[in-house]
Amino acid sequence: MRVVLATPLYAPDWEWGGVVTWAVQLFSALARRGHRVTVVTTRPGGDRLPEEELQGVRVIRVAGEILGKSGRIGSRGYEAACREHFARADIVHIAGVWQPTGNVATRVAREVKVPYGLSPHGALGAYAWTRNRLLKMGYYALREKGHLSHAAWIHATAPMEEEELKHLGWVKNVRVIPNPLDTDLWLQIPDEGHAWRSRLGLGETEFVLLSCGRLHHKKGLELLPEAISKVEGNWKWVVIGDDRDGVRSGLQARLRTLGLEERAVWLDAVPPLDVRAAYAGSDCLLMPSLHENFGNVAVEAAACGCRALVSDAVGAAPWLDEPGLPRKAGIWSREIRRLVQDGRDAEGLRLRRSERTRNLLGSDKVAELFEATMTQKLAGC
């Protein structure tokens, strides 16, 4: 099958978040399954770059530009690149909504009459509508609604996102396929966890709560100081991530008020291998997000053996040990107390959690599901 992915950004632009990780993991796995995969994308700044092959995927990059502070990507050369490569494709997949590149890609796919799928990646969920609502309503009516109506299928990363899409009226063509997991990176390595705890001065019996990822209001971390204030025993809260919106200073001030300042350890963002060590050395990830269409951090932690508590607004909850929790400090406090009282998980339990997660969400497994959906759509099913 000749597959073209149209996405605003691709590797090595990892700093742009989970969509880049999703694209690389999934479409590289499709290439391993024997498909001819081409990515049409941009690289902000500079001229058009030479095409290259990355992990079996042909990558076409045209010059792009970041439009203001919105994170939207524009590109004068994107339409020509889409026309050239869509004309030779059996099927196209388009990542993201609200993006000028997505608007161009969808229009070109319709003009050259190639079937396409579309991944909103949570950008049509309830939380997304809380920001720039009126502007988005107008753009949705003029652009995105038509793009969705002509899509051969709409990709939801979790049942939660499926329900959000159905609430907008998209019922028939939605397919749930979770985000793929890099099983070469996210696995249980106990020795890394022991070394990480040692570097931070954490005792082997100390229960380690972890929050990991960008510090942003969307992550809902302001709920946690009150929740952990009621937790007794030998525990520490480790927070990893660069500050966004002054979140760290707000959390630190609240912890001082509660007399918990010495219970917290603060680290800036670290490379993936150090994140893996943190997962291996921690006992429970805390993710009380206001909204995550999937929540890669939670499944990465589970793949490294770490338990994860997430809010009921995190799409990945069905693939974890614990159900999503309502965002109420009392409920979170009760669950964290229970885990701390039960003590650290045995290595055997951590290994079983790791194996289960990796078997469910490994990139090759997810690519098989994606391939099956594309094949069905090409067959007119």
Side-chain angles (χ1 to χ4, degrees):
M1 191 186 314
R2 295 168 298 180
V3 182
V4 176
L5 168 67
T7 183
L9 295 156
Y10 196 72
D13 293 319
W14 305 108
E15 68 274 15
W16 287 86
V19 175
V20 175
T21 302
W22 164 84
V24 172
Q25 285 299 308
L26 177 57
F27 287 85
S28 297
L30 287 170
R32 289 196 297 272
R33 293 182 63 80
H35 301 288
R36 293 171 57 187
V37 180
T38 300
V39 172
V40 179
T41 188
T42 79
R43 194 77 191 274
D47 299 323
R48 176 168 179 157
L49 300 176
E51 67 178 72
E52 63 176 329
E53 184 172 305
L54 292 176
Q55 301 181 51
V57 174
R58 183 186 181 194
V59 182
I60 311 297
R61 293 190 184 88
V62 299
E65 60 177 331
I66 303 170
L67 305 177
K69 298 180 180 180
S70 66
R72 298 165 73 239
I73 307 296
S75 172
R76 295 180 180 178
Y78 200 70
E79 179 172 346
C82 287
R83 287 191 182 279
E84 178 183 351
H85 296 285
F86 287 11
R88 297 194 290 267
D90 296 312
I91 195 165
V92 166
H93 199 81
I94 300 168
V97 297
W98 313 126
Q99 283 283 357
T101 52
N103 179 51
V104 169
T106 310
R107 176 169 50 80
V108 171
R110 290 165 64 177
E111 289 175 2
V112 303
K113 295 181 170 43
V114 60
Y116 65 89
L118 197 152
S119 292
H121 289 291
L124 293 173
Y127 177 82
W129 292 99
T130 63
R131 310 186 74 179
N132 302 316
R133 181 176 178 82
L134 293 178
L135 183 62
K136 284 182 175 178
M137 288 176 65
Y139 192 86
Y140 178 79
L142 290 172
R143 301 288 190 190
E144 300 297 354
K145 188 173 183 180
H147 298 336
L148 290 159
S149 67
H150 286 86
W153 70 293
I154 305 170
H155 168 222
T157 56
M160 183 185 78
E161 186 176 14
E162 179 184 28
E163 289 304 312
E164 291 172 341
L165 290 167
K166 287 182 176 179
H167 183 72
L168 287 174
W170 308 111
V171 178
K172 295 182 180 179
N173 290 333
V174 178
R175 297 290 183 274
V176 176
I177 300 176
N179 278 359
L181 181 74
D182 182 355
T183 53
D184 291 331
L185 176 60
W186 306 117
L187 69 165
Q188 186 195 27
I189 305 180
D191 287 347
E192 289 187 353
H194 296 312
W196 179 80
R197 292 176 73 98
S198 179
R199 288 196 301 272
L200 294 184
L202 301 168
E204 284 301 315
T205 60
E206 203 161 15
F207 197 96
V208 177
L209 305 166
L210 175 69
S211 295
C212 186
R214 61 186 177 131
L215 302 184
H216 186 274
H217 76 277
K218 180 182 176 182
K219 303 303 178 180
L221 296 177
E222 77 284 348
L223 177 144
L224 292 178
E226 188 68 30
I228 61 177
S229 69
K230 306 294 194 302
V231 179
E232 299 178 348
N234 186 19
W235 59 268
K236 283 283 180 67
W237 181 30
V238 178
V239 184
I240 301 176
D242 291 334
D243 196 8
R244 305 285 179 92
D245 300 339
V247 169
R248 179 185 291 185
S249 59
L251 292 172
Q252 290 173 331
R254 184 59 181 151
L255 289 173
R256 282 195 297 271
T257 301
L258 293 169
L260 296 173
E261 189 173 11
E262 298 301 319
R263 292 276 198 166
V265 178
W266 303 90
L267 301 173
D268 291 331
V270 297
L273 290 180
D274 290 339
V275 174
R276 182 175 71 188
Y279 293 151
S282 299
D283 298 294
C284 184
L285 177 85
L286 304 178
M287 195 175 190
S289 297
L290 300 176
H291 186 272
E292 303 279 352
N293 67 289
F294 191 68
N296 290 339
V297 170
V299 297
E300 290 167 3
C304 296
C306 183
R307 188 182 294 271
L309 283 184
V310 303
S311 76
D312 54 10
V314 174
W319 289 276
L320 301 172
D321 290 348
E322 311 281 348
L325 300 177
R327 276 186 38 83
K328 296 182 179 180
I331 293 175
W332 279 76
S333 184
R334 182 191 67 209
E335 292 302 310
I336 296 169
R337 284 201 307 271
R338 175 179 64 84
L339 294 177
V340 172
Q341 289 169 3
D342 289 346
R344 304 191 65 203
D345 286 339
E347 290 297 342
L349 177 56
R350 292 178 67 97
L351 179 60
R352 288 193 294 275
R353 181 178 297 125
S354 172
E355 290 177 341
R356 174 182 175 274
T357 306
R358 286 158 50 81
N359 288 337
L360 284 173
L361 298 173
S363 56
D364 289 321
K365 173 67 173 179
V366 173
E368 183 180 352
L369 300 174
F370 216 84
E371 175 191 85
T373 297
M374 291 191 297
T375 301
Q376 290 172 1
K377 293 307 174 182
L378 283 175
C381 299

